[in-house]
Amino acid sequence: MPACVLDRGVYLVRFTQEEIGGGACEDIEHCLEGVLPGLPEGTAWILVDMQGVRFLKSSGLGAMLSLCETLKARNIRVAVCHVPPFGRNLFKISRLDELLKVYAGVDEAMLA
């Protein structure tokens, strides 16, 4: 499961494993669904921190797309930071980069 904390008014979701869609989070949809019940009332946006992620399976990418669509329907925007180089290419191919804002790091995102 990703670690989730409220940080400076932003719900920060940090993946703690190197592989999204495998390993400790084989069922990535289940892991991401665990984010939704913990959302504090009035959350305007979520920042997904991918620092330390070394591999993103297609199931992980699909689950992130699903999370973006679910949150968009709830008027919650999603951003991501520390995206590894391979992830940037996947985001472009899947057009995930059109659904969420990509930041270099947490501090940059918090200033936006």
Side-chain angles (χ1 to χ4, degrees):
M1 281 295 240
C4 303
V5 296
L6 190 61
D7 183 0
R8 295 175 263 177
V10 175
Y11 198 58
L12 183 58
V13 177
R14 283 194 167 109
F15 281 94
T16 55
Q17 64 276 358
E18 290 187 358
E19 184 176 304
I20 298 179
C25 234
E26 186 65 47
D27 183 358
I28 189 67
E29 290 183 18
H30 173 72
C31 286
L32 288 175
E33 284 173 3
V35 170
L36 299 177
L39 283 176
E41 187 66 33
T43 298
W45 68 290
I46 292 176
L47 177 60
V48 177
D49 186 353
M50 295 182 68
Q51 187 171 20
V53 173
R54 302 289 175 251
F55 188 74
L56 178 64
K57 287 188 172 182
S58 59
S59 62
L61 187 64
M64 289 184 78
L65 282 163
S66 178
L67 178 69
C68 286
E69 291 171 359
T70 299
L71 293 172
K72 184 177 180 180
R74 294 172 60 177
N75 292 322
I76 299 172
R77 66 186 176 109
V78 181
V80 66
C81 66
H82 292 124
V83 178
F86 73 85
R88 290 186 202 115
N89 292 334
L90 289 174
F91 283 16
K92 286 181 184 176
I93 292 168
S94 66
R95 296 190 175 181
L96 186 58
D97 62 341
E98 295 175 10
L99 294 175
L100 50 76
K101 180 77 174 156
V102 178
Y103 294 99
V106 173
D107 290 333
E108 177 189 344
M110 295 295 188
L111 293 174

